[in-house]
Amino acid sequence: MVAILHLISLVALSSLASALPTPLPNLKFPPIVPKGLVCRLPIVQRLLCPRTTTTGLIVNTPIGTAHGSVDTSAANRFAVKYAAAPRWQNPSPVTAWVLPNNATDVTALPLACPQPGLDDSSFSEDCLSMILYVPNNLPTTPVPTLMWIHGGSFIVGSATGPGLDGSNLAVATNSIVAVVQYRLGALGWMQPNGGTNLAMKDLMAAMSFLKVVVPSFGGDPSKVTIAGQSSGANMIRALLAIPSASSLFQNAIIQSDPMDYGFLNPGAQQTMQNYFNGLLTCSKSDTRCLNSLSLDTIINAQMNLFENAYTLDPSATQAEPMRPVRDGQLITTTLDSSSPFPHVSKPILVSTVLNEAALTIYGNFDTLPEAAFYPVVNATFGSPRTNVIVNSAFYNDANLLAEGVTIDARTQLETLGTDYIWKCSSWTFARNWASNGGQAFVGMYVVGASYPGNDAVDFCTQPGSVCHQDDIEIVFGTVPSPTTAQASLTTEMQARYASFMRTGNPNPSGSSLAHWGAAGTSNVNAILLGGSGMVPINACSPSYWGQQVLYDYQTFGI
């Protein structure tokens, strides 16, 4: 039987200790004009380098004039290319303000990075772009910037994905919102010569770009918060594990990260790299041949790897085989319970949703008898983890069975998948963070807005269900015709994000919102987002997941 729980994260397919940026390893950054360097120093910036905005749609930056377009009555939009990258090479920061894809129309949005499921005209390999959303009436005091990293299992998604218009979020938080793109799939993760983490380097180039330009828009380059959902959240966790990225951002927001998977280790990456290279008609050192390959050829080989990676190395998973690699050079720690946790200091927000696993479980099975529970779990976990799980009161409905009640095993599997891939693994991460010097604020969404595509699964349209991705439009304030509960939660989360971006604390000063306490080393103090009170601990006790039942990253030693 297919190890169905390893497919759960596929739901994402539906959709400077100083103010100066730190260069990426092995990247040559061209010199910035002296005025640009000077104006990135906060004190000088406030006194001698005021914003040089000509109008709301024309902004002079250290790398040229930015031309924007009206996005809403309260905010403007600036699409821009932040870096260039020849195929399978490190990104090079731009030295001039350039519209994406050689566009001349300032209203044009960037094409997506190459990915399956899109017409070739919808994507471009020249895709390292971002969209800045800037409120019309920012104060004279520099404001923070939020950089959003989209999800999509590392193989799909873009800055123009559903619900990702950042205008409402920017206006509500009185900040600049930047939604970024990065290389996907094989182009971002499977460098034939054995290099790793190109997509991570893209994000570092994006943050370096923001450090240069946001002062011109009214932003404070020392207050950059990175945020993202699903695989985008996974990349944020990877950025937290990159020492050379630390000076590029201040705080981090992690939404629905499948932390159970862990980062790939070099051995698993090499196994997959060898397989991928074997699908190509070029040697790994023949740059001319590799550059001549069509995107369709690369994507076809990528999807072949995607479908078979789990059989090559189980730690790859069936859901996110191409992902950040703990290479010891860029990413230097596992940042989980499989190795010593480093000292940390940045404040983080960590959230999940009520029914993370529902899209996969209810999307793959119309019904599932109780008798199927054991074989499905065993196919995923093997022994002895399966015996501990099926005999646990957390997932065993023996009392109901004894009473002759018919049980749909999908209910148990959804709870199990949500716990081990997302919720409990996130809580373990928060405890580790708190135990090693950092502050972590943990929450779970019990109100959501059905993300486009989620309505294909009936369970996700039922009252009270909150499926993977259903937090996105809440945060961005892009829910169509929101209910009172949705509108209230959007207002709350945007107020909390505004506070967190400025102070590292999601409790706005003087607010009537319920207090959100930081996680401790045992109790993570997770709050209900959209409800009142605390999230029940249940199986997320420190003595169960990670102890009695090991996470995948512990089981596979990654």
Side-chain angles (χ1 to χ4, degrees), residues 46-364:
R46 295 186 183 97
L47 297 178
L48 302 178
C49 304
R51 275 181 279 163
T52 53
T53 304
T54 305
T55 73
L57 299 177
I58 302 175
V59 178
N60 295 321
T61 80
I63 58 172
T65 302
H67 293 269
S69 60
V70 175
D71 192 70
T72 68
S73 61
N76 299 322
R77 182 181 71 218
F78 297 81
V80 63
K81 177 178 177 177
Y82 66 81
R87 181 175 292 177
W88 284 310
Q89 300 298 315
N90 286 335
S92 299
V94 297
T95 57
W97 186 278
V98 180
L99 295 176
N101 311 119
N102 299 311
T104 56
D105 180 1
V106 296
T107 67
L109 296 174
L111 295 175
C113 290
Q115 57 191 273
L118 290 183
D119 183 87
D120 288 5
S121 63
S122 300
F123 58 67
S124 169
E125 210 167 339
D126 181 19
C127 63
L128 300 187
S129 301
M130 67 171 68
I131 306 173
L132 295 174
Y133 296 90
V134 185
N136 290 338
N137 297 309
L138 286 178
T140 55
T141 303
V143 300
T145 297
L146 182 136
M147 187 180 95
W148 179 267
I149 305 169
H150 70 78
S153 289
F154 301 105
I155 64 171
V156 298
S158 71
T160 56
L164 298 186
D165 186 307
S167 288
N168 291 341
L169 179 59
V171 171
T173 56
N174 210 20
S175 69
I176 297 168
V177 173
V179 184
V180 303
Q181 298 185 161
Y182 51 91
R183 280 173 286 181
L184 301 168
L187 292 169
W189 303 103
M190 304 306 299
Q191 198 172 354
N193 68 3
T196 59
N197 296 317
L198 285 176
M200 298 307 307
K201 295 174 183 178
D202 293 345
L203 295 180
M204 293 173 67
M207 287 188 288
S208 293
F209 176 86
L210 287 173
K211 289 276 189 178
V212 173
V213 303
V214 292
S216 302
F217 292 88
D220 184 341
S222 69
K223 289 187 180 296
V224 174
T225 296
I226 53 176
Q229 186 269 346
S230 195
S231 56
N234 185 292
M235 296 180 81
I236 289 173
R237 184 159 46 91
L239 287 168
L240 290 167
I242 299 176
S244 56
S246 182
S247 61
L248 297 175
F249 64 100
Q250 181 186 34
N251 308 322
I253 301 174
I254 297 173
Q255 297 178 207
S256 296
D257 179 1
M259 294 196 187
D260 166 77
Y261 298 154
F263 304 138
L264 282 174
N265 65 24
Q269 173 71 12
Q270 189 60 57
T271 296
M272 291 198 300
Q273 188 71 66
N274 292 341
Y275 181 87
F276 176 77
N277 287 359
L279 300 173
L280 305 179
T281 57
C282 309
S283 72
K284 64 181 181 180
S285 59
D286 190 342
T287 302
R288 180 180 300 229
C289 179
L290 292 170
N291 286 339
S292 71
L293 294 173
S294 70
L295 289 174
D296 285 345
T297 296
I298 294 172
I299 291 174
N300 287 339
Q302 162 192 308
M303 297 316 295
N304 184 315
L305 171 64
F306 191 96
E307 293 167 4
N308 291 288
Y310 181 71
T311 66
L312 304 174
D313 190 311
S315 70
T317 78
Q318 289 177 300
E320 295 184 345
M322 287 166 275
R323 63 183 191 269
V325 182
R326 178 185 49 79
D327 57 1
Q329 299 173 6
L330 194 70
I331 299 177
T332 59
T333 171
T334 64
L335 210 60
D336 59 33
S337 299
S338 64
S339 66
F341 207 89
H343 176 77
V344 294
S345 59
K346 294 183 186 296
I348 62 172
L349 290 184
V350 181
S351 64
T352 57
V353 304
L354 181 63
N355 307 112
E356 295 277 12
L359 275 172
T360 294
I361 299 301
Y362 288 90
N364 279 278

Side-chain angles (χ1 to χ4, degrees), residues 491-517:
T491 299
E492 174 183 342
M493 295 313 299
Q494 291 180 340
R496 292 193 183 280
Y497 277 27
S499 176
F500 183 73
M501 283 189 278
R502 289 166 171 80
T503 67
N505 189 310
N507 296 291
S509 177
S511 170
S512 62
L513 293 173
H515 180 72
W516 191 345

